[in-house]
Amino acid sequence: MLATLKNAFKVEEIRGKIFFTLFMFLIFRIGAHIPAPGINPDVVAELLSQNIFGFIDVLSGGAFKNISIFAMGIMPYINASIIMNLLTIVVPYFERLAKEGPEGKRKMAQITRYGCIILGFVQALLMSFYLRNAMYDFNFFSVMIVTISLTAGTAILMWMGEMITEKGIGNGISLIIFAGIVSRIPSGITYIVNSLRSGEVNFFAVLLFLVIALVIIIGIIYINEGQRRIPVQYAKRVVGRKVYGGQSTNIPMKVNQAGVIPIIFAMSILMLPGLIASFFDGAVANAIARWFSTSHPVYMVVDTLLIIFFAYFYTAVTFSPVDVADNMKKNGGFIPGIRPGRPTAEYLDRILTRLTLAGAIFLAFIALLPNLMTAITGVNVSFGGTSLLIAVGVALDTMKQLESQLLMRNYQGFMK
């Protein structure tokens, strides 16, 4: 990885893209400390221990705790993108757009932007009402000012992400999330050092925490890169005097096909009961808020079941064994020992089901990781397993993109 970064800085074009990306990160960090008007951040800090707000604060790089204009982060854009992916399966119009090539992708990107603004406005409006006790003056004008400010912050982050994709090193939205997560590392280190000095934790517990974190990072890399390669053989075809096909290839089926999407879906759903209960008083509302706190056994069980369900659901949306089998049959391809058509689809479906189960269990373990590590080591940090999964995944993808760009510029060509 260090060699890749060193070689990337030697290429002027890639060096310029890296500096542009770092400049966007600087703007992001400055914006994370520009407060939204009319809100007391001290009151907001008390909410971070409830439901999913701590996770949102991590993704936004501390902007939620500061109630800055970037408090919502890029989550509305992620939700809009997920909805668009699901609509391409359900709605024929979006399915046609997805198959129209660059022009269709451009239209879908534009619709996603509009969806991001709409979702951002709704989310900001709900957040404004939820933070009504933190407002200096709660009225219609104050609510609209906060809502518009937060929505504008999300729009700016969306634009920054697209600029990083276009003029930076690519994968802009993911890098914005990555920057927000990584920015919390210094505060986590400071917390551990202060805990050591005050005697809250001992050196052995911190050492055990670091060892477990290292093992988990290795496990995340192993699972993210793990794949089952299905061999495919293409039959030879004679067209005129030319022979086509005859080559061997493979279908890479990843263990974690759904990525971090199932965790985000599950956490978004589990946030709603506690959020709705916060608007009411009484024993029932208090019980619901307690059950759906991140450390309660009910939350852990439901979270695990939802993650497994969404892992299968999103994998089924993004990978269709029937379509893959049909395309192979049309192009004269077959899996050795498996008949083309329906038997191939059933074979791929069996393998995908087993791989998805392993990936779903891994994601559930990562989601419950903060509670497990706190119970084992006694060290409580906000940098949880989901954040670690996102950060490692984005870092791996970014390194692959840099390596591919270096390979394009160092390729000698067939004349040399």
Side-chain angles (χ1 to χ4, degrees):
M1 185 176 69
L2 295 178
T4 301
L5 290 174
K6 181 179 178 181
N7 294 330
F9 274 97
K10 293 179 181 179
V11 181
E12 182 179 356
E13 182 180 353
I14 299 180
R15 185 169 64 247
K17 291 182 177 182
I18 293 176
F19 283 134
F20 179 82
T21 303
L22 293 176
F23 177 70
M24 289 290 104
F25 287 170
L26 178 62
I27 296 177
F28 170 55
R29 295 310 304 152
I30 293 174
H33 292 83
I34 299 177
I39 291 188
N40 185 358
D42 295 331
V43 178
V44 177
E46 299 176 1
L47 301 175
L48 294 182
S49 59
Q50 303 176 17
N51 303 319
I52 201 176
F53 292 114
F55 177 69
I56 295 177
D57 187 58
V58 171
L59 292 186
S60 62
F64 184 85
K65 180 179 67 176
N66 301 327
I67 284 299
S68 75
I69 58 174
F70 293 160
M72 294 194 303
I74 204 68
M75 288 296 292
Y77 183 85
I78 296 175
N79 294 332
S81 300
I82 293 172
I83 292 173
M84 283 298 299
N85 289 332
L86 296 178
L87 289 178
T88 56
I89 308 299
V90 179
V91 181
Y93 172 74
F94 293 109
E95 185 178 359
R96 289 195 303 269
L97 284 181
K99 297 179 180 179
E100 288 182 0
E103 183 64 22
K105 290 183 179 180
R106 187 188 64 80
K107 292 180 180 179
M108 290 185 65
Q110 188 67 19
I111 296 174
T112 304
R113 296 189 193 103
Y114 291 138
C116 171
I117 299 301
I118 295 173
L119 289 177
F121 183 84
V122 174
Q123 183 175 333
L125 185 63
L126 293 175
M127 188 180 294
S128 299
F129 277 99
Y130 185 79
L131 298 174
R132 59 190 182 277
N133 294 329
M135 289 186 180
Y136 294 111
D137 187 14
F138 180 70
N139 53 46
F140 176 78
F141 181 76
S142 299
V143 169
M144 293 309 299
I145 288 294
V146 173
T147 301
I148 294 174
S149 299
L150 297 180
T151 306
T154 297
I156 293 172
L157 287 179
M158 177 179 64
W159 173 81
M160 289 171 57
E162 293 182 351
M163 287 297 99
I164 292 175
T165 301
E166 181 181 348
K167 299 182 180 181
I169 58 178
N171 209 8
I173 300 298
S174 298
L175 285 175
I176 290 291
I177 299 175
F178 175 82
I181 294 173
V182 172
S183 66
R184 299 303 302 274
I185 293 180
S187 62
I189 295 175
T190 303
Y191 170 79
I192 293 176
V193 172
N194 292 334
S195 299
L196 277 173
R197 291 178 176 176
S198 62
E200 295 180 12
V201 295
N202 54 49
F203 179 78
F204 177 76
V206 174
L207 183 62
L208 180 61
F209 173 83
L210 295 176
V211 171
I212 294 176
L214 180 61
V215 171
I216 290 171
I217 291 175
I218 296 174
I220 290 174
I221 296 174
Y222 181 78
I223 295 295
N224 277 347
E225 298 298 305
Q227 56 183 229
R228 171 78 179 272
R229 296 183 179 180
I230 310 299
V232 178
Q233 181 71 36
Y234 286 91
K236 292 183 179 180
R237 294 179 300 164
V238 179
V239 180
R241 296 183 178 181
K242 295 183 178 181
V243 179
Y244 296 91
Q247 74 270 20
S248 298
T249 182
N250 61 76
I251 302 174
M253 301 178 67
K254 299 184 66 175
V255 176
N256 186 18
Q257 186 79 23
V260 76
I261 298 301
I263 297 180
I264 296 177
F265 270 26
M267 295 181 76
S268 299
I269 291 177
L270 288 176
M271 178 184 68
L272 293 177
L275 185 62
I276 295 174
S278 65
F279 287 95
F280 302 94
D281 295 325
V284 176
N286 294 333
I288 292 176
R290 186 174 63 256
W291 291 342
F292 286 92
S293 62
T294 55
S295 59
H296 198 277
V298 172
Y299 177 93
M300 296 182 186
V301 172
V302 177
D303 189 28
T304 301
L305 295 177
L306 285 176
I307 288 173
I308 294 175
F309 169 76
F310 282 120
Y312 276 99
F313 175 78
Y314 195 75
T315 300
V317 169
T318 56
F319 187 94
S320 174
V322 176
D323 292 342
V324 173
D326 290 342
N327 292 332
M328 288 171 53
K329 187 176 181 180
K330 291 178 183 178
N331 293 286
F334 63 94
I335 299 174
I338 307 296
R339 296 182 59 185
R342 182 176 178 181
T344 298
E346 293 175 349
Y347 176 74
L348 293 176
D349 185 65
R350 286 197 303 271
I351 295 177
L352 186 64
T353 300
R354 296 171 183 173
L355 290 176
T356 303
L357 179 60
I361 294 174
F362 168 75
L363 290 177
F365 170 75
I366 290 296
L368 299 177
L369 185 61
N371 295 327
L372 296 176
M373 292 188 69
T374 301
I376 295 173
T377 65
V379 180
N380 185 16
V381 293
S382 60
F383 199 86
T386 306
S387 306
L388 199 61
L389 179 65
I390 297 173
V392 173
V394 173
L396 290 174
D397 291 340
T398 304
M399 286 297 103
K400 289 179 181 179
Q401 289 188 8
L402 286 177
E403 289 176 354
S404 64
Q405 293 183 29
L406 287 172
L407 183 63
M408 291 172 57
R409 286 160 177 79
N410 293 330
Y411 186 61
Q412 296 297 320
F414 66 93
M415 293 297 293
K416 295 183 179 179

PDB file of all heavy atoms in Angstrom, residues 235-249:
ATOM      1  N   ALA A 235     -17.848 -22.817 -25.477  1.00  0.00           N
ATOM      2  CA  ALA A 235     -17.649 -23.725 -26.603  1.00  0.00           C
ATOM      3  C   ALA A 235     -17.147 -22.969 -27.825  1.00  0.00           C
ATOM      4  O   ALA A 235     -17.411 -21.772 -27.999  1.00  0.00           O
ATOM      5  CB  ALA A 235     -18.958 -24.440 -26.936  1.00  0.00           C
ATOM      6  N   LYS A 236     -16.418 -23.668 -28.679  1.00  0.00           N
ATOM      7  CA  LYS A 236     -15.913 -23.059 -29.909  1.00  0.00           C
ATOM      8  C   LYS A 236     -17.022 -22.959 -30.945  1.00  0.00           C
ATOM      9  O   LYS A 236     -17.842 -23.866 -31.096  1.00  0.00           O
ATOM     10  CB  LYS A 236     -14.755 -23.882 -30.459  1.00  0.00           C
ATOM     11  CG  LYS A 236     -13.499 -23.849 -29.601  1.00  0.00           C
ATOM     12  CD  LYS A 236     -12.379 -24.633 -30.258  1.00  0.00           C
ATOM     13  CE  LYS A 236     -11.118 -24.574 -29.402  1.00  0.00           C
ATOM     14  NZ  LYS A 236     -10.000 -25.336 -30.021  1.00  0.00           N
ATOM     15  N   ARG A 237     -17.025 -21.820 -31.645  1.00  0.00           N
ATOM     16  CA  ARG A 237     -17.997 -21.616 -32.721  1.00  0.00           C
ATOM     17  C   ARG A 237     -17.250 -21.205 -33.977  1.00  0.00           C
ATOM     18  O   ARG A 237     -16.372 -20.346 -33.932  1.00  0.00           O
ATOM     19  CB  ARG A 237     -19.019 -20.538 -32.353  1.00  0.00           C
ATOM     20  CG  ARG A 237     -19.935 -20.896 -31.184  1.00  0.00           C
ATOM     21  CD  ARG A 237     -20.884 -19.759 -30.890  1.00  0.00           C
ATOM     22  NE  ARG A 237     -20.141 -18.556 -30.534  1.00  0.00           N
ATOM     23  CZ  ARG A 237     -20.666 -17.335 -30.523  1.00  0.00           C
ATOM     24  NH1 ARG A 237     -21.919 -17.163 -30.909  1.00  0.00           N
ATOM     25  NH2 ARG A 237     -19.945 -16.297 -30.172  1.00  0.00           N
ATOM     26  N   VAL A 238     -17.620 -21.795 -35.101  1.00  0.00           N
ATOM     27  CA  VAL A 238     -16.992 -21.475 -36.386  1.00  0.00           C
ATOM     28  C   VAL A 238     -17.957 -20.624 -37.195  1.00  0.00           C
ATOM     29  O   VAL A 238     -19.063 -21.052 -37.529  1.00  0.00           O
ATOM     30  CB  VAL A 238     -16.625 -22.752 -37.171  1.00  0.00           C
ATOM     31  CG1 VAL A 238     -15.994 -22.378 -38.510  1.00  0.00           C
ATOM     32  CG2 VAL A 238     -15.688 -23.625 -36.347  1.00  0.00           C
ATOM     33  N   VAL A 239     -17.542 -19.377 -37.467  1.00  0.00           N
ATOM     34  CA  VAL A 239     -18.333 -18.443 -38.272  1.00  0.00           C
ATOM     35  C   VAL A 239     -17.497 -18.081 -39.497  1.00  0.00           C
ATOM     36  O   VAL A 239     -16.522 -17.322 -39.389  1.00  0.00           O
ATOM     37  CB  VAL A 239     -18.718 -17.187 -37.467  1.00  0.00           C
ATOM     38  CG1 VAL A 239     -19.549 -16.248 -38.334  1.00  0.00           C
ATOM     39  CG2 VAL A 239     -19.471 -17.574 -36.212  1.00  0.00           C
ATOM     40  N   GLY A 240     -17.860 -18.639 -40.644  1.00  0.00           N
ATOM     41  CA  GLY A 240     -17.036 -18.422 -41.839  1.00  0.00           C
ATOM     42  C   GLY A 240     -15.697 -19.121 -41.694  1.00  0.00           C
ATOM     43  O   GLY A 240     -15.624 -20.341 -41.496  1.00  0.00           O
ATOM     44  N   ARG A 241     -14.646 -18.347 -41.763  1.00  0.00           N
ATOM     45  CA  ARG A 241     -13.305 -18.895 -41.592  1.00  0.00           C
ATOM     46  C   ARG A 241     -12.710 -18.597 -40.216  1.00  0.00           C
ATOM     47  O   ARG A 241     -11.548 -18.900 -39.961  1.00  0.00           O
ATOM     48  CB  ARG A 241     -12.362 -18.328 -42.668  1.00  0.00           C
ATOM     49  CG  ARG A 241     -12.742 -18.721 -44.085  1.00  0.00           C
ATOM     50  CD  ARG A 241     -11.731 -18.181 -45.070  1.00  0.00           C
ATOM     51  NE  ARG A 241     -12.063 -18.582 -46.443  1.00  0.00           N
ATOM     52  CZ  ARG A 241     -11.329 -18.256 -47.509  1.00  0.00           C
ATOM     53  NH1 ARG A 241     -10.231 -17.522 -47.353  1.00  0.00           N
ATOM     54  NH2 ARG A 241     -11.699 -18.653 -48.719  1.00  0.00           N
ATOM     55  N   LYS A 242     -13.509 -17.992 -39.342  1.00  0.00           N
ATOM     56  CA  LYS A 242     -13.014 -17.618 -38.021  1.00  0.00           C
ATOM     57  C   LYS A 242     -13.606 -18.524 -36.952  1.00  0.00           C
ATOM     58  O   LYS A 242     -14.752 -18.978 -37.054  1.00  0.00           O
ATOM     59  CB  LYS A 242     -13.340 -16.155 -37.699  1.00  0.00           C
ATOM     60  CG  LYS A 242     -12.626 -15.169 -38.619  1.00  0.00           C
ATOM     61  CD  LYS A 242     -12.932 -13.732 -38.202  1.00  0.00           C
ATOM     62  CE  LYS A 242     -12.182 -12.734 -39.090  1.00  0.00           C
ATOM     63  NZ  LYS A 242     -12.452 -11.329 -38.689  1.00  0.00           N
ATOM     64  N   VAL A 243     -12.828 -18.757 -35.909  1.00  0.00           N
ATOM     65  CA  VAL A 243     -13.249 -19.571 -34.771  1.00  0.00           C
ATOM     66  C   VAL A 243     -13.396 -18.671 -33.555  1.00  0.00           C
ATOM     67  O   VAL A 243     -12.453 -17.953 -33.186  1.00  0.00           O
ATOM     68  CB  VAL A 243     -12.225 -20.692 -34.476  1.00  0.00           C
ATOM     69  CG1 VAL A 243     -12.679 -21.507 -33.272  1.00  0.00           C
ATOM     70  CG2 VAL A 243     -12.054 -21.588 -35.692  1.00  0.00           C
ATOM     71  N   TYR A 244     -14.580 -18.676 -32.960  1.00  0.00           N
ATOM     72  CA  TYR A 244     -14.857 -17.849 -31.791  1.00  0.00           C
ATOM     73  C   TYR A 244     -15.048 -18.744 -30.562  1.00  0.00           C
ATOM     74  O   TYR A 244     -15.489 -19.888 -30.671  1.00  0.00           O
ATOM     75  CB  TYR A 244     -16.115 -17.005 -31.998  1.00  0.00           C
ATOM     76  CG  TYR A 244     -16.000 -15.999 -33.121  1.00  0.00           C
ATOM     77  CD1 TYR A 244     -16.391 -16.338 -34.413  1.00  0.00           C
ATOM     78  CD2 TYR A 244     -15.490 -14.734 -32.889  1.00  0.00           C
ATOM     79  CE1 TYR A 244     -16.291 -15.411 -35.446  1.00  0.00           C
ATOM     80  CE2 TYR A 244     -15.385 -13.807 -33.911  1.00  0.00           C
ATOM     81  CZ  TYR A 244     -15.783 -14.148 -35.183  1.00  0.00           C
ATOM     82  OH  TYR A 244     -15.673 -13.240 -36.206  1.00  0.00           O
ATOM     83  N   GLY A 245     -14.751 -18.186 -29.386  1.00  0.00           N
ATOM     84  CA  GLY A 245     -14.948 -18.899 -28.136  1.00  0.00           C
ATOM     85  C   GLY A 245     -13.813 -19.860 -27.849  1.00  0.00           C
ATOM     86  O   GLY A 245     -12.702 -19.743 -28.370  1.00  0.00           O
ATOM     87  N   GLY A 246     -14.117 -20.838 -27.012  1.00  0.00           N
ATOM     88  CA  GLY A 246     -13.113 -21.825 -26.656  1.00  0.00           C
ATOM     89  C   GLY A 246     -12.299 -21.463 -25.432  1.00  0.00           C
ATOM     90  O   GLY A 246     -11.515 -22.277 -24.948  1.00  0.00           O
ATOM     91  N   GLN A 247     -12.467 -20.253 -24.881  1.00  0.00           N
ATOM     92  CA  GLN A 247     -11.658 -19.852 -23.732  1.00  0.00           C
ATOM     93  C   GLN A 247     -12.336 -20.253 -22.429  1.00  0.00           C
ATOM     94  O   GLN A 247     -13.525 -20.510 -22.377  1.00  0.00           O
ATOM     95  CB  GLN A 247     -11.396 -18.347 -23.743  1.00  0.00           C
ATOM     96  CG  GLN A 247     -12.578 -17.489 -23.356  1.00  0.00           C
ATOM     97  CD  GLN A 247     -13.426 -17.104 -24.541  1.00  0.00           C
ATOM     98  OE1 GLN A 247     -13.375 -17.740 -25.588  1.00  0.00           O
ATOM     99  NE2 GLN A 247     -14.222 -16.063 -24.373  1.00  0.00           N
ATOM    100  N   SER A 248     -11.532 -20.280 -21.369  1.00  0.00           N
ATOM    101  CA  SER A 248     -12.024 -20.593 -20.028  1.00  0.00           C
ATOM    102  C   SER A 248     -11.967 -19.333 -19.175  1.00  0.00           C
ATOM    103  O   SER A 248     -11.013 -18.554 -19.258  1.00  0.00           O
ATOM    104  CB  SER A 248     -11.178 -21.697 -19.383  1.00  0.00           C
ATOM    105  OG  SER A 248     -11.257 -22.884 -20.142  1.00  0.00           O
ATOM    106  N   THR A 249     -12.985 -19.124 -18.362  1.00  0.00           N
ATOM    107  CA  THR A 249     -13.026 -17.974 -17.461  1.00  0.00           C
ATOM    108  C   THR A 249     -13.720 -18.416 -16.174  1.00  0.00           C
ATOM    109  O   THR A 249     -13.910 -19.618 -15.947  1.00  0.00           O
ATOM    110  CB  THR A 249     -13.759 -16.786 -18.115  1.00  0.00           C
ATOM    111  OG1 THR A 249     -13.747 -15.670 -17.223  1.00  0.00           O
ATOM    112  CG2 THR A 249     -15.188 -17.137 -18.445  1.00  0.00           C
TER     113      THR A 249
END
